[in-house]
Amino acid sequence: MKNLIPFLFFCILINTASFAQVTIKGKVTSDGMPLPLANIVLKNTKNATISNGDGLYSLKKVSVGNYEVVASYTGFKSQRKNITVTDTVTITLDFNLKENNSLDEVVITGTLKPVSRIESPVPVEVYKPVFFQKNPTANIFEALQNVNGVRPQLNCNVCNTGDIHINGLEGPYTLVLIDGMPIVSGLSTVYGLSGIPNSLLERIEIVKGPASSLYGSEAVGGLINIITKNPKNAAAFSADSFITDWGELNVDLGFKANIGKTASLLTGINYFNYSNPVDNNNDNFTDLTLQDRISVFQKWNFNRKNNKLFSMAGRYFYEDRWGGELQWEKKHRGGSEVYGESIYTKRWELLGAYELPIAEKMLFSFSYTDHDQNSVYGNIPYLAKQRIGFGQLTWDKKLNNHDLLFGTALRYQYYDDNTPATVKEDINWIPSLFVQDEIAINENHKILLGARYDYNNNHGSIFTPRLAYKWKIDDNNILRFNTGTGFRIVNLFTEEHAALTGSRDVIVLEELKPERSYNANINYLKKMYTGNGNFIGWETTAWYTHFSNSIIPDYDSNPNQVIYKNLDGFAVTKGISTNLDMVFNNGLKLILGATFMDVSKTENNIRSRQLLTEKFTGTWAISYRINKMFLDVDYTGNVYGPMRLPLLGDLDPRKEYSPTWSIQNIQFTFNKFKNIEIYAGVKNLLNWTPNKGNPFIIARTNDPFDKNVDYDTNGNVQTTADNPYALTFDPGYVYGPNQGIRSFFGLRYTLK
């Protein structure tokens, strides 16, 4: 009995401690000022509260155990603290939050210097991985579909290749960078936007409008800079994988390792497979191209004295994709028995940055890419090699109120293919000089002056100046004005997919001169914080770009040809774009965007709207967090206005203009478990596909080699009983994805 009493007393103590009702209280501040309506959450429980007008909060009835407490407030960095709850009645835990709105992030793309987005005289849009996770995709190309003013454009119904349009301009006008280096260009504009592992993505910066004065050719319409993570800041291990009911499988892995005190290493692996032919529109052609793709990316950051930068990265990419008639097999590749478009792509990339070990701030950056493409379009082979080397040295110097940047660059371009247009290897060396001066007139007014000189041995000297002005009206209102010029040197067979596929003949009427552009845009940014903790960010941009020497594919003059020449006239793109970001303290977040534009060409005093350019677009991402259920709901989508489409003649029964169309998606993410997110949803909720309302999308699928097409003496297609619309095989009538509704399920794991 004597031994039983102490045992019972010990059990009572343990039981009392286990069910102790402890209160965690404290104050949420920022720089000493209280933050009312801040969210305080006890992770992995249903216990949550908000701070009062004095920033004070109280979490009651907390049981004994180990917890993570998170304090968050709109426009500020969340703060996390670990705490051990014992039988103490009250625990005090204070938080001091630092402001961190996405509008204040550091960007480098607009000026080649790290600068706060608010302070940059060049408007730069920033998108973090969490934005793209609202609608998970297998590649960067698809991920950009919910960015306002940016549209992934499919160029072929069979092989599903595409490019990125910014403000209505074709993909070759957009320069895609990785860590500021021109990695994705030429051939890879069409074939290389896939396979960049999402696990390595730190953010994507987008500049809309010419940036040739800093980045040279190809940056006429704008640029997309894919910033990869610093290995020091990356998770030790991350995994993200999803599968759809169409059979698409995407796996994304990331690993970090420290190599002693010398360096840190980050490795990313992306694998995508789709091998389930689907033909929902019953034309005997695949609705979605079959793909088998792997990409391996590795980045090294070396530790140096005085924190000088030295990083290197490399990527290897391989893809095997095909589309065509359902009965197509590898043995049919390149033959005339069964039609298929088969593309093997091998590509490797190397890039790096080295800050010189001197007192002055000088940075040497370099990149090299090797792209090998082995492809057939029906019975037409296209074998191409492209190598691009790039080196750049910049000197960042501040003198009084002048923030100067001097730079020199050298670009090496090698291209060769088996087409008659390439008689011999095309080798080009393009040296460049550029200078930039950002002048701080006072705290609220800045002017940026810039100029670039390029020399191309085929086209001579090219000069591109620019000017930017920023007026900081106050901390929450910014006005920017930018103007400048751009240029683009065209290589048809690396940029224009229509030159490779279908039955149209490619006609080049003259030696193509570089395109030139003149641009002006005005940008207004406003931030609004309401008294109850809500935030609204509003940004609007109006732009006007005038092109001379434009090279616009002519599909209209002859339905059997694609004609290329410098436009005898001019082209114009103009419009207005607006973005609205709203964050509410009840867990609701809205990102809304709309763009209205007019893209036209004028030749022989006749003005016409350009093909495949819509007049308006809209995008949205609506998110709501249900804390008690540990659930995030994301509803994303886009809407596009009608665009003129390439028909094959007056008898072509397909619609000349696309309808207004929309792709909408919903996703549910469950995040109760530590380091794990489980997500599922539905893509293309409306089950929209471009074949609706059309008798067919691909012309003459029953005769893809045009064996039964009759021509007159002038080469015009004749009407016959077998060919009542006088058509040839044509997969180029495409403006949106041909993949219908599908569900997906995924798992995301992060080990910090």
Side-chain angles (χ1 to χ4, degrees):
M1 187 69 178
K2 290 181 180 181
N3 293 331
L4 183 61
I5 292 174
F7 175 76
L8 291 174
F9 180 72
F10 176 75
C11 290
I12 292 171
L13 282 177
I14 293 296
N15 189 62
T16 303
S18 300
F19 293 94
Q21 301 298 298
V22 177
T23 297
I24 301 174
K25 68 177 184 178
K27 189 173 185 178
V28 184
T29 60
S30 176
D31 294 330
M33 299 297 293
L35 288 179
L37 299 177
N39 293 295
I40 300 90
V41 177
L42 199 65
K43 291 291 288 183
N44 298 325
T45 75
K46 296 182 179 180
N47 204 340
T49 187
I50 60 174
S51 58
N52 63 16
D54 297 321
L56 301 175
Y57 76 92
S58 177
L59 292 168
K60 299 180 179 179
K61 298 182 179 180
V62 180
S63 302
V64 171
N66 296 317
Y67 297 96
E68 182 182 45
V69 186
V70 181
S72 60
Y73 187 82
T74 302
F76 290 77
K77 287 184 180 179
S78 297
Q79 190 174 5
R80 300 169 180 267
K81 291 188 177 183
N82 294 315
I83 189 171
T84 298
V85 175
T86 61
D87 57 350
T88 303
V89 176
T90 303
I91 297 176
T92 301
L93 192 64
D94 294 331
F95 293 91
N96 182 30
L97 305 187
K98 303 295 183 182
E99 187 172 358
N100 181 37
N101 190 271
S102 62
L103 299 176
D104 300 321
E105 289 180 297
V106 173
V107 296
I108 62 173
T109 305
T111 61
L112 277 179
K113 294 183 176 189
V115 61
S116 165
R117 185 184 169 200
I118 287 292
E119 296 301 325
S120 172
V122 178
V124 180
E125 296 181 14
V126 180
Y127 296 91
K128 291 293 197 73
V130 67
F131 175 81
F132 300 110
Q133 288 172 0
K134 297 176 186 295
N135 178 34
T137 60
N139 55 62
I140 297 295
F141 176 77
E142 293 180 44
L144 294 171
Q145 64 185 282
N146 287 325
V147 176
N148 183 31
V150 177
R151 180 168 68 86
Q153 166 66 45
L154 285 176
N155 294 324
C156 175
N157 270 306
V158 178
C159 62
N160 289 165
T161 54
D163 52 36
I164 301 295
H165 289 203
I166 293 182
N167 289 343
L169 293 175
E170 295 283 341
Y173 292 87
T174 300
L175 179 63
V176 181
L177 312 167
I178 297 181
D179 289 338
M181 291 291 97
I183 292 293
V184 183
S185 57
L187 277 173
S188 54
T189 301
V190 179
Y191 299 100
L193 283 172
S194 305
I196 298 174
N198 293 330
S199 58
L200 297 179
L201 184 63
E202 173 69 25
R203 66 187 185 275
I204 292 180
E205 298 180 4
I206 298 176
V207 174
K208 298 173 182 175
S212 295
S213 61
L214 270 185
Y215 295 94
S217 182
E218 299 169 325
V220 177
L223 59 92
I224 298 170
N225 194 1
I226 300 167
I227 310 292
T228 61
K229 292 178 180 177
N230 185 326
K232 294 180 181 179
N233 304 326
F237 173 75
S238 65
D240 189 353
S241 179
F242 69 84
I243 189 169
T244 73
D245 64 354
W246 275 50
E248 300 161 283
L249 172 66
N250 186 73
V251 180
D252 203 4
L253 303 175
F255 311 85
K256 182 180 80 169
N258 293 318
I259 313 300
K261 296 182 179 180
T262 305
S264 51
L265 167 67
L266 180 62
T267 302
I269 301 172
N270 175 259
Y271 176 72
F272 178 79
N273 181 271
Y274 171 67
S275 52
N276 176 41
V278 173
D279 179 26
N280 287 336
N281 59 10
N282 299 315
D283 61 1
N284 197 44
F285 271 67
T286 53
D287 290 349
L288 180 67
T289 304
L290 284 77
Q291 302 169 55
D292 194 20
R293 178 175 70 239
I294 188 166
S295 176
V296 180
F297 188 100
Q298 197 166 80
K299 184 175 183 179
W300 293 72
N301 266 42
F302 298 91
N303 300 320
R304 298 176 61 202
K305 294 180 180 180
N306 301 320
N307 291 320
K308 292 284 187 178
L309 173 66
F310 181 27
S311 69
M312 291 188 66
R315 180 171 77 121
Y316 176 77
F317 170 92
Y318 176 78
E319 183 181 62
D320 174 3
R321 67 162 61 203
W322 76 268
E325 294 185 272
L326 296 179
Q327 65 271 29
W328 188 90
E329 298 178 13
K330 295 288 185 184
K331 64 182 180 181
H332 298 126
R333 192 175 195 268
S336 301
E337 182 182 352
V338 180
Y339 188 90
E341 297 186 2
S342 171
I343 302 162
Y344 302 148
T345 302
K346 289 190 294 185
R347 176 179 176 85
W348 63 269
E349 307 160 350
L350 177 69
L351 64 152
Y354 179 78
E355 195 172 350
L356 272 59
I358 57 177
E360 295 293 338
K361 193 173 182 180
M362 300 186 74
L363 180 68
F364 175 67
S365 304
F366 59 91
S367 67
Y368 184 82
T369 66
D370 187 293
H371 188 111
D372 187 332
Q373 185 174 314
N374 180 327
S375 50
V376 293
Y377 300 87
N379 55 9
I380 301 174
Y382 175 63
L383 310 175
K385 294 180 182 295
Q386 183 180 52
R387 303 179 188 123
I388 298 176
F390 183 82
Q392 178 175 277
L393 179 66
T394 58
W395 178 25
D396 188 349
K397 183 71 175 178
K398 291 187 178 181
L399 293 172
N400 299 322
N401 64 331
H402 293 265
D403 194 348
L404 295 160
L405 181 75
F406 302 94
T408 181
L410 180 64
R411 180 170 175 142
Y412 164 78
Q413 295 183 166
Y414 168 92
Y415 176 75
D416 189 26
D417 66 30
N418 65 314
T419 66
T422 307
V423 178
K424 63 177 182 177
E425 299 172 344
D426 182 17
I427 300 176
N428 244 322
W429 291 90
I430 306 174
S432 308
L433 294 170
F434 56 91
V435 62
Q436 178 180 276
D437 185 9
E438 186 176 329
I439 307 168
I441 300 173
N442 55 41
E443 185 180 349
N444 297 327
H445 296 274
K446 287 184 179 180
I447 291 178
L448 183 143
L449 303 174
R452 182 182 178 107
Y453 170 80
D454 292 81
Y455 181 79
N456 185 293
N457 55 6
N458 292 328
H459 302 286
S461 299
I462 301 173
F463 180 68
T464 49
R466 76 163 170 173
L467 178 146
Y469 165 70
K470 181 181 78 73
W471 176 23
K472 185 179 178 182
I473 303 170
D474 55 39
D475 288 340
N476 296 323
N477 293 273
I478 307 290
L479 185 68
R480 298 180 177 93
F481 173 77
N482 280 254
T483 185
T485 64
F487 73 97
R488 184 172 78 97
I489 298 169
V490 176
N491 187 320
L492 294 181
F493 288 90
T494 65
E495 299 173 357
E496 301 289 354
H497 185 261
L500 302 173
T501 186
S503 58
R504 290 177 184 256
D505 294 326
V506 177
I507 307 296
V508 183
L509 295 182
E510 60 189 8
E511 184 178 348
L512 300 176
K513 301 175 183 177
E515 294 185 340
R516 299 303 302 259
S517 71
Y518 305 88
N519 167 271
N521 69 66
I522 187 167
N523 171 273
Y524 175 65
L525 174 64
K526 184 175 182 62
K527 298 189 297 181
M528 293 172 281
Y529 297 93
T530 64
N532 56 2
N534 300 325
F535 167 77
I536 299 176
W538 175 46
E539 185 170 11
T540 295
T541 303
W543 79 91
Y544 179 91
T545 306
H546 181 282
F547 292 92
S548 58
N549 289 339
S550 284
I551 302 168
I552 303 170
D554 179 2
Y555 292 85
D556 299 324
S557 297
N558 188 324
N560 301 312
Q561 297 176 344
V562 185
I563 301 173
Y564 295 94
K565 67 180 182 65
N566 286 110
L567 189 68
D568 185 14
F570 60 90
V572 169
T573 172
K574 57 187 176 181
I576 186 169
S577 176
T578 187
N579 290 308
L580 195 62
D581 294 357
M582 294 181 284
V583 183
F584 301 96
N585 58 38
N586 63 357
L588 180 65
K589 297 180 181 180
L590 293 92
I591 302 174
L592 309 175
T595 298
F596 296 87
M597 58 189 170
D598 182 15
V599 183
S600 65
K601 64 177 180 179
T602 301
E603 191 169 25
N604 300 322
N605 294 320
I606 299 175
R607 182 180 182 274
S608 61
R609 184 173 161 191
Q610 289 190 33
L611 285 170
L612 297 171
T613 55
E614 65 279 10
K615 284 192 173 182
F616 70 88
T617 67
T619 58
W620 65 87
I622 302 173
S623 304
Y624 184 68
R625 170 163 292 180
I626 307 173
N627 284 323
K628 292 183 178 180
M629 299 176 64
F630 306 98
L631 189 68
D632 289 322
V633 183
D634 294 296
Y635 171 49
T636 58
N638 49 53
V639 60
Y640 299 110
M643 59 188 80
R644 193 164 70 89
L645 304 173
L647 298 180
L648 290 181
D650 295 335
L651 297 178
D652 194 331
R654 296 174 294 183
K655 293 183 177 180
E656 182 181 4
Y657 284 87
S658 66
T660 298
W661 56 282
S662 175
I663 301 291
Q664 301 177 25
N665 321 283
I666 193 166
Q667 176 183 257
F668 301 91
T669 305
F670 184 69
N671 49 29
K672 179 178 181 179
F673 307 112
K674 186 177 181 180
N675 301 330
I676 295 176
E677 290 185 343
I678 302 169
Y679 58 91
V682 178
K683 291 178 178 288
N684 197 355
L685 282 165
L686 303 180
N687 197 26
W688 178 88
T689 52
N691 63 295
K692 295 182 178 179
N694 273 305
F696 49 82
I697 292 295
I698 304 176
R700 298 283 295 172
T701 55
N702 62 318
D703 184 23
F705 295 100
D706 292 333
K707 295 179 179 179
N708 299 318
V709 175
D710 293 338
Y711 300 89
D712 64 16
T713 55
N714 295 320
N716 299 312
V717 180
Q718 296 295 289
T719 301
T720 64
D722 178 65
N723 191 8
Y725 304 120
L727 303 177
T728 55
F729 174 71
D730 175 39
Y733 180 94
V734 57
Y735 56 94
N738 204 32
Q739 190 177 16
I741 189 171
R742 59 207 182 276
S743 60
F744 63 93
F745 176 83
L747 179 69
R748 192 175 293 122
Y749 175 77
T750 305
L751 179 63
K752 308 226 173 147

